Amino acid sequence: MGRQRLGEFETAVLLAIIHLRGRGYGVSIADEIERRAGKPVSFGAVYATVDRLQKKGLISSELGEPTPARGGKPKRFYRIEAPGEHALREAQAVAERMWSGVPPMKASA
Amino acid sequence: VVGGAPDEGVSMRKLRCSPPRRNSHDPTRVVVGVKHQLNGPDSAPVVYHLHGDMDQLLEQAEPSLYFEVERPLTEADLVLLWEADRRNVPVLCEWLMCIVIDPEFQEDRLADYQERFNGLWVPKFGQRAAIVVYVWHVLRQSRLIDWLVRIFVQLGPSV
């Protein structure tokens, strides 16, 4: 498999899935990104991204048990796969190399 | 009035309950409206332990007496609450969403949207604005908005 370059939002979705430890589904992924990044996230963007990541083989999904709290409708939980972890590590390494040597910046007034 | 667990022999009457609604102060409990029917032919018997003078009050009550009981949330309540919330979701939006979502993902994603609609958009924006937000999401999800923007941009310079 070739090297997988991740976009900013793809990275955010993958990290949210990791933070949610197997309990990441559409709503919780969007909430997790909003909570950590502090900006609103569109459902459509999350779904488009998880679909793309799944096609690339970076994540997989499975339907959970139907619960009464959702009227018997299941949640689709996402899980990161080995190529996804590898792509994240590479993205982190690239970011660290880019930041390396940059002098501390003063906070803007 | 607090309805407790069935307590046989304390107070058995024919009571008709309304669908449960959420207790705004305690998410683990629901509020149920109970219509007291002295001789209702089609009402199932329900047993409640009623505190204080409620027993006596029911004895003297009119057949149409209505009161509310607070009790712990059950799994059956969750289904009823979800179905009640379901009625608020704009059907047209769900129908449009079904067109743009792959059939494999329809069930869970429509449920996600319902959860978002009733859990965030309605409380935050109100029912009408929440419908507008839902429509916006349908347009985004269908990429129709991108198509409209492209058309607008292409037409822009010549107008």
Side-chain angles (χ1 to χ4, degrees):
Chain A
M1 185 178 285
R3 288 168 62 167
Q4 303 273 9
R5 294 277 180 184
L6 296 175
E8 186 189 358
F9 196 68
E10 287 178 329
T11 307
V13 169
L14 285 174
L15 289 171
I17 291 170
I18 291 174
H19 283 303
L20 290 164
R21 298 167 196 269
R23 307 300 298 168
Y25 68 105
V27 176
S28 63
I29 292 171
D31 286 347
E32 186 70 13
I33 297 172
E34 275 192 38
R35 196 171 66 79
R36 288 178 180 271
K39 55 183 179 184
V41 174
S42 129
F43 256 23
V46 171
Y47 289 136
T49 306
V50 291
D51 288 348
R52 194 165 57 247
L53 291 172
Q54 202 162 358
K55 276 181 193 155
K56 289 180 182 177
L58 305 186
I59 58 171
S60 60
S61 73
E62 62 179 357
L63 286 176
E65 288 295 311
T67 57
R70 278 164 67 100
K73 306 278 191 308
K75 291 174 183 171
R76 181 175 293 278
F77 293 113
Y78 293 92
R79 191 177 54 223
I80 190 159
E81 296 294 333
E85 287 179 12
H86 182 77
L88 263 183
R89 261 188 249 114
E90 195 162 295
Q92 186 185 17
V94 168
E96 281 169 1
R97 281 199 298 274
M98 292 300 293
W99 277 99
S100 163
V102 174
M105 284 178 272
K106 287 177 188 169
S108 55
Chain B
V1 178
V2 177
D7 192 357
E8 205 170 337
V10 174
S11 178
M12 181 179 284
R13 299 176 190 289
K14 289 185 173 178
L15 301 169
R16 183 176 293 172
C17 298
S18 70
R21 61 174 204 277
R22 288 187 179 83
N23 181 342
S24 53
H25 304 295
D26 183 354
T28 66
R29 298 179 74 81
V30 285
V31 177
V32 184
V34 180
K35 192 171 184 183
H36 177 229
Q37 293 226 314
L38 287 173
N39 292 304
D42 56 344
S43 55
V46 178
V47 182
Y48 279 101
H49 178 79
L50 300 166
H51 295 267
D53 295 331
M54 190 51 74
D55 249 8
Q56 198 181 345
L57 181 63
L58 286 174
E59 289 290 351
Q60 300 162 352
E62 293 292 316
S64 60
L65 175 70
Y66 178 86
F67 61 98
E68 291 190 332
V69 173
E70 190 193 301
R71 61 169 171 71
L73 185 77
T74 64
E75 285 206 343
D77 290 331
L78 287 173
V79 175
L80 290 171
L81 289 170
W82 179 266
E83 289 306 320
D85 284 347
R86 170 85 181 72
R87 283 193 285 275
N88 298 328
V89 178
V91 178
L92 182 64
C93 287
E94 287 206 326
W95 184 76
L96 287 171
M97 203 58 98
C98 281
I99 294 175
V100 300
I101 298 176
D102 191 314
E104 186 190 345
F105 300 108
Q106 275 176 11
E107 196 178 32
D108 58 286
R109 289 195 182 170
L110 284 178
D112 283 355
Y113 272 99
Q114 183 183 334
E115 192 179 325
R116 194 53 131 196
F117 183 83
N118 288 302
L120 181 69
W121 297 336
V122 171
K124 194 170 176 183
F125 306 117
Q127 177 77 17
R128 286 186 180 175
I131 291 173
V132 175
V133 174
Y134 202 146
V135 170
W136 170 253
H137 278 266
V138 173
L139 293 174
R140 290 286 303 275
Q141 181 84 35
S142 63
R143 297 175 190 272
L144 194 60
I145 198 76
D146 301 341
W147 183 78
L148 287 172
V149 168
R150 259 200 311 275
I151 296 281
F152 183 75
V153 168
Q154 279 176 4
L155 288 178
S158 60
V159 175

